Amino acid sequence: MPTRDIFSAIADPTRRQILDLLCQREMAVGELVETLGLAQPNVSKHLRTLGEADLVHVRIDGPRRHYRLRAERLRELEEWLAPYRRRWADRLDALERHLDQLDDPDHEEN
């Protein structure tokens, strides 16, 4: 069970960047430190926050820790966004219809 809310976990831009990197492949902490250009304690702090939200999984290999994205946890975010996406899709469809009417030479303005 996650101990941290997914929304607060992804609020930080550095944590979102970490998720973007982990979306591509599993990475060791050292790789994340090098890629992000941050100090190891800072990266570890962000990884701990993401772990508390169950957004990452850690695999320990001797002294190294490898992290991977737990994409299934993003479903909660997707479900929350769904009504907003539908709303925007409806509005974009209406805009498209309006623009099509403007391009129609047979369309007359009122």
Side-chain angles (χ1 to χ4, degrees):
M1 178 103 176
T3 59
R4 181 176 294 269
D5 176 69
I6 190 172
F7 296 98
S8 63
I10 65 168
D12 184 276
T14 301
R15 289 194 287 269
R16 290 193 306 271
Q17 189 176 9
I18 290 170
L19 292 176
D20 289 344
L21 291 168
L22 296 178
C23 188
Q24 299 169 27
R25 64 181 177 87
E26 179 180 279
M27 295 180 79
V29 174
E31 291 178 280
L32 289 166
V33 166
E34 185 177 318
T35 303
L36 295 168
L38 298 174
Q40 188 274 327
N42 292 339
V43 172
S44 292
K45 178 180 139 192
H46 287 300
L47 288 167
R48 182 173 49 254
T49 299
L50 293 170
E52 289 170 355
D54 278 348
L55 287 167
V56 296
H57 172 77
V58 63
R59 178 177 60 84
I60 300 172
D61 180 23
R64 300 183 68 173
R65 293 178 179 269
H66 301 266
Y67 286 84
R68 68 174 168 81
L69 177 66
R70 293 199 56 206
E72 65 275 6
R73 277 288 291 144
L74 296 174
R75 190 174 305 121
E76 178 182 339
L77 180 60
E78 176 65 28
E79 290 170 0
W80 182 81
L81 285 171
Y84 298 97
R85 286 188 182 173
R86 283 191 297 274
R87 182 181 170 114
W88 275 106
D90 291 345
R91 288 181 176 215
L92 290 173
D93 289 344
L95 176 61
E96 182 179 26
R97 286 190 299 276
H98 175 72
L99 294 174
D100 286 345
Q101 287 177 349
L102 292 177
D103 286 342
D104 184 358
D106 296 328
H107 175 74
E108 293 183 23
E109 289 285 328
N110 291 338

